[in-house]
Amino acid sequence: MNSIQTRTLSNGIILVHRQVVHTEISHVGIMLDIGSRDENGTEQGLAHFWEHMAFKGTQKKNNIQIINRLEIIGGELNAYTTKEKICFHASVLSPYYERAVELLADITFHSTFPQKELEKERSVILEEMSMYYDSPEDAIQDDFDELLFPNHSLGMNILGTNETVQGFQQSDLVQFIERNMDTSRIVFSSIGKLPHEKVFAWAEKHLGHIKAKKQQLKRLQPSLMIPEKKVVKRGVTQSHIALGRQSYALANPNRMAFFTLINLLGGPGMNSLLNVSVRERHGLVYSIEASFTSYIDSGFWAIYFGTEPNQVNKSIKLIMREFDKLQQKALSGPALQKIKSQLKGQLAMAEEGNLNFMLMMAKNLLDREKIESLDELFLQIDAITSDKLQTLAQEMFVPDQLSYLIFEP
């Protein structure tokens, strides 16, 4: 972590760079603390629309020039939108680093949203929405948000609706950006072999001229959900099930312990409790996973799986059985150490990916104003007790406090 340095430009944009001398690839991104939760009802999908339209033309480049700028030297340009963030990022060989910085600054701050391209991209996004609708594994996760955060922007689909996307105009993008842009809530994040001073000099050159802008925006905290069960008829052969509830926000002291508990229950390991029970012992599912997502003021956990319609109730009973075990009996010392070791290994391997680490640095600085080292995370994991995990299971895994969404044939 000593290889990480930060600076702040006079306009408030935060710079962070991690020097990794053994790689020829540089990863760089601009992350803004703006996401789909910052839309109002008629704007649903507008943040994602901005992400797409940023590539369609700037004051200096048309869409083809933007596409070719990094592609012709073997680089990659990409972007994504979440409930609370928009990020534009690139990966290039280190000699082309400044080219990537210039391009990212251009599409982030100088996009013109040409009307001709807007109409074409509207169709592209409608196709993207159809693709997700045709994939029940993806669609159920998006639709489940609405049960978890009813009548709140956190519950709205990031892609928007057919009606809202059909109605977006150039002025909507301009007004949305003007209302939400805050240069003190922007992070320029970088990782690669280049020295810090050279990276910061290029960042200053291409971002230092951006006019400082400060907003007094306050995100509306979601109200507590009312447990609900919703069954939807879909053109599927399997039933697809999502169940879960609201949980802990980013700053909640229970967050790491609960993340550990969710990892034990249904994390990526084949030895997760749900995978062993529902798949390996009973053969009811191809895959089953549990996830935990934290926002700045809320969060949720959920379990997703697909199974034959006549196996839905049996699968849910097996899940409830695992809940009951975690609630009734604290983990033994050896079992606790195993899950801690597994989680540490997963976190360490995730840090090996430089692109993911670059994005993590940006998100941590926006959400927590610091970058937690592996050692700090390991200390938090070491402090978790079996009693704490049992208490969290008793608090969170309460059947009548859960919401359910079921897609059935």
Side-chain angles (χ1 to χ4, degrees):
M1 297 294 286
N2 293 333
S3 61
I4 297 175
Q5 292 185 20
T6 61
R7 302 272 178 87
T8 302
L9 299 178
S10 59
N11 54 21
I13 296 176
I14 300 165
L15 314 179
V16 58
H17 177 63
R18 182 188 192 190
Q19 188 176 22
V20 179
V21 296
H22 59 265
T23 180
E24 295 300 320
I25 304 298
S26 291
H27 303 281
V28 58
I30 298 176
M31 186 176 291
L32 304 94
D33 196 30
I34 304 171
S36 64
R37 73 170 299 176
D38 301 306
E39 302 160 348
N40 61 41
T42 60
E43 293 175 337
Q44 185 180 350
L46 192 54
H48 176 255
F49 204 91
W50 170 19
E51 174 210 316
H52 276 243
M53 285 302 300
F55 294 82
K56 299 306 171 183
T58 70
Q59 296 165 7
K60 299 178 182 178
K61 304 176 188 69
N62 62 35
N63 61 324
I64 303 302
Q65 290 171 323
I66 291 171
I67 290 171
N68 282 324
R69 185 69 175 150
L70 300 185
E71 293 282 347
I72 60 173
I73 48 92
E76 295 180 355
L77 177 66
N78 215 327
Y80 64 86
T81 305
T82 69
K83 297 295 175 78
E84 296 186 329
K85 304 288 183 286
I86 293 175
C87 183
F88 303 99
H89 60 92
S91 301
V92 292
L93 287 166
S94 294
Y96 300 103
Y97 182 87
E98 186 184 5
R99 181 185 292 203
V101 175
E102 185 277 331
L103 180 61
L104 287 172
D106 199 24
I107 66 173
T108 304
F109 298 103
H110 304 298
S111 290
T112 55
F113 314 123
Q115 185 65 36
K116 179 181 176 182
E117 296 300 326
L118 188 146
E119 295 304 327
K120 287 191 289 187
E121 205 58 27
R122 191 194 313 279
S123 297
V124 170
I125 291 174
L126 290 172
E127 289 298 324
E128 182 181 4
M129 293 168 64
S130 296
M131 180 182 71
Y132 272 88
Y133 182 84
D134 288 342
S135 173
E137 299 90 346
D138 295 320
I140 196 167
Q141 296 187 41
D142 288 330
D143 291 358
F144 191 49
D145 289 349
E146 190 174 348
L147 290 187
L148 296 170
F149 300 102
N151 303 313
H152 191 276
S153 54
L154 282 175
M156 298 192 306
N157 192 311
I158 290 173
L159 299 180
T161 67
N162 279 292
E163 181 181 6
T164 57
V165 172
Q166 292 279 13
F168 291 150
Q169 300 300 322
Q170 185 185 64
S171 58
D172 298 316
L173 289 163
V174 174
Q175 291 168 11
F176 179 75
I177 294 170
E178 176 66 21
R179 189 179 79 233
N180 289 286
M181 182 69 73
D182 183 336
T183 50
S184 69
R185 302 296 298 160
I186 298 173
V187 171
F188 168 92
S189 184
S190 168
I191 188 167
K193 66 186 289 185
L194 297 168
H196 295 92
E197 290 307 320
K198 185 172 286 190
V199 167
F200 291 149
W202 278 328
E204 174 84 46
K205 176 181 176 181
H206 296 290
L207 296 172
H209 69 281
I210 303 300
K211 184 179 179 181
K213 199 171 190 309
K214 186 74 175 174
Q215 301 283 11
Q216 298 298 323
L217 296 176
K218 184 173 176 60
R219 286 168 166 162
L220 178 65
Q221 185 173 0
S223 56
L224 295 178
M225 72 173 214
I226 299 173
E228 181 180 354
K229 183 174 182 179
K230 184 177 180 180
V231 179
V232 179
K233 297 291 185 180
R234 291 283 294 264
V236 292
T237 55
Q238 272 190 320
S239 290
H240 294 264
I241 299 92
L243 62 97
R245 60 170 290 184
Q246 290 182 12
S247 59
Y248 306 112
L250 282 164
N252 192 293
N254 290 327
R255 181 170 169 265
M256 180 55 79
F258 190 62
F259 180 69
T260 305
L261 183 63
I262 288 292
N263 201 62
L264 168 66
L265 178 68
M270 292 291 287
N271 64 339
S272 74
L273 299 179
L274 292 180
N275 191 72
V276 169
S277 174
V278 187
R279 173 179 165 143
E280 297 299 330
R281 289 193 182 133
H282 293 89
L284 300 181
V285 301
Y286 174 72
S287 67
I288 183 168
E289 64 178 38
S291 64
F292 170 41
T293 300
S294 288
Y295 300 119
I296 198 69
D297 52 4
S298 187
F300 73 94
W301 68 265
I303 295 170
Y304 304 99
F305 65 97
T307 190
E308 294 302 310
N310 63 350
Q311 303 285 15
V312 171
N313 289 336
K314 184 176 181 180
S315 299
I316 291 175
K317 285 180 181 178
L318 290 173
I319 293 170
M320 298 301 152
R321 185 181 298 173
E322 295 305 318
F323 287 172
D324 190 62
K325 290 178 184 176
L326 291 170
Q327 292 169 335
Q328 297 302 321
K329 185 178 180 181
L331 290 180
S332 67
L336 179 63
Q337 287 309 120
K338 285 179 182 178
I339 187 60
K340 287 182 178 182
S341 296
Q342 182 171 348
L343 182 56
K344 287 178 182 180
Q346 291 171 352
L347 292 173
M349 284 190 282
E351 187 171 307
E352 285 292 301
N354 285 340
L355 172 59
N356 288 335
F357 194 89
M358 180 274 290
L359 298 172
M360 179 276 291
M361 289 194 300
K363 188 174 187 301
N364 277 8
L365 286 172
L366 286 173
D367 288 340
R368 307 173 71 85
E369 299 183 347
K370 67 175 183 177
I371 299 168
E372 291 181 310
S373 69
L374 269 181
D375 288 341
E376 289 174 308
L377 292 174
F378 287 179
L379 285 174
Q380 293 177 38
I381 294 170
D382 287 337
I384 297 168
T385 65
S386 295
D387 288 343
K388 183 64 175 178
L389 296 181
Q390 184 180 19
T391 299
L392 293 177
Q394 292 168 348
E395 180 180 339
M396 280 286 141
F397 300 154
V398 182
D400 62 6
Q401 294 180 7
L402 307 181
S403 285
Y404 295 79
L405 176 60
I406 300 175
F407 290 171
E408 64 179 29

